[in-house]
């Protein structure tokens, strides 16, 4: 599978959003990762659909929205209308997962399900037919700049194997948290093909060189 990168805006200069996004685009980054935190599901509060709408107006890049919110049910319409291309909900959130995933697709958007590091990967298996992507969190959600949790690699491997066995060859597996040139190698080898990166990309001296390195095929 081709490897894609998704730049997490959490680590960019938020006062210069449009500039930072165009820098990512020029560096060959594929997607923009938009972390929505509600101060309940996780500690921090970041940004919501009005900010996504402004981002949408500033770029044609693929917008990947990661909802770290207690109940995403009523947020789907708002983020879909604001211009999301893909919406990821958490398996640990309080909602009817199947109904919300269906609602995302009904609105013409790609749907994804995320699991925190301690949530068994088997949790997502009953929903794979409703998902374009599964996000395997490689840190506890809540903050950028944390260290990668190695125990998550086995979950990626198990998920890729299960998806292949089910004939779901197109399922994207995304990883998020602590991804750098070193950990990228491990997750790609295990079967991940969409790499979220905040700190590594936005703090890089040469974003293009780092992005190229992240996107290199697994060896
Ligand atoms: C964490 C967020 C991540 C975060 C990743 O809860 O979901 O997207 O921004 O940041 P880095 O790449 O710095 O670990
Ligand atoms: Zn994220």
């Amino acid at each position: 599978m081709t490897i894609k990168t998704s730049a997490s805006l959490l680590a960019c200069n938020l006062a210069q959003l449009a500039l930072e996004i165009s820098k990512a685009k020029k560096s060959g980054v594929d997607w923009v990762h938009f972390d929505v935190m509600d101060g309940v599901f996780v500690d921090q509060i970041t940004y919501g659909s009005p900010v996504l709408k402004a981002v949408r107006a500033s770029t044609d890049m693929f917008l990947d929205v990661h909802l770290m919110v207690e109940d995403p049910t009523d947020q789907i319409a708002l983020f879909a209308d604001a211009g999301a291309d893909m919406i990821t909900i958490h398996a640990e959130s309080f909602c009817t997962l199947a109904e919300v995933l269906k609602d995302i697709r009904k609105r013409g958007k790609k749907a994804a399900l995320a699991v925190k590091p301690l949530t068994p990967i088997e949790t997502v298996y009953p929903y794979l037919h409703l998902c374009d992507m599964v996000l395997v969190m490689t840190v506890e959600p809540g903050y950028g700049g944390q260290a990668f949790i190695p125990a998550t690699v086995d979950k990626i491997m198990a998920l890729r194997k299960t998806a292949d066995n089910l004939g779901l060859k197109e399922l994207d597996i995304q990883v998020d948290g602590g991804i750098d040139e070193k950990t990228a190698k491990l997750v790609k080898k295990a079967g991940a093909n969409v790499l979220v990166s905040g700190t590594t990309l936005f703090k890089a001296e040469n974003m293009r060189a780092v992005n190229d390195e992240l996107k290199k095929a697994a060896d």
Side-chain angles (χ1 to χ4, degrees), residues 1 156-157 160 171-173 186-193:
M1 283 181 110
I156 301 165
M157 268 165 67
R160 182 55 78 199
L171 183 81
D172 282 323
I173 300 182
L186 303 174
V187 294
K188 284 184 284 189
K189 218 169 163 188
N193 69 305

Side-chain angles (χ1 to χ4, degrees), residues 51-128:
V51 177
L52 187 77
K53 195 172 172 191
V55 165
R56 172 78 296 160
S58 80
T59 183
D60 59 0
M61 281 183 84
F62 186 93
L63 301 179
D64 149 34
V65 175
H66 178 193
L67 293 182
M68 286 164 275
V69 303
E70 194 78 338
D71 180 355
T73 312
D74 295 338
Q75 295 299 318
I76 305 306
L78 294 170
F79 281 96
D81 292 349
D85 292 298
M86 173 178 267
I87 302 178
T88 302
I89 60 168
H90 262 271
E92 304 84 358
S93 61
F94 293 99
C95 70
T96 314
L97 295 175
E99 290 312 311
V100 179
L101 289 167
K102 279 185 209 160
D103 186 35
I104 297 170
R105 281 188 165 173
K106 203 182 75 199
R107 294 172 191 278
K109 311 298 179 182
K110 293 202 167 183
L113 191 55
V115 278
K116 299 208 272 187
L118 294 176
T119 303
I121 194 63
E122 290 76 15
T123 311
V124 305
Y125 293 170
Y127 305 98
L128 288 181

Side-chain angles (χ1 to χ4, degrees), residues 33 35 66 68 176:
H33 185 80
D35 286 301
H66 178 193
M68 286 164 275
D176 183 8

Side-chain angles (χ1 to χ4, degrees), residues 6-11 33-37 42 44 47 66 68 90 135 137-148 175-180 196-201 203:
S6 191
S8 167
L9 296 180
L10 262 190
H33 185 80
F34 193 86
D35 286 301
V36 179
M37 303 185 183
V42 290
Q44 296 194 101
Y47 26 70
H66 178 193
M68 286 164 275
H90 262 271
L135 164 54
M137 288 300 299
T138 43
V139 299
E140 274 302 322
Y143 297 92
Q146 303 182 76
F148 177 84
V175 285
D176 183 8
I179 300 299
D180 59 19
V196 174
S197 167
T199 310
T200 301
L201 280 175
K203 305 289 180 247

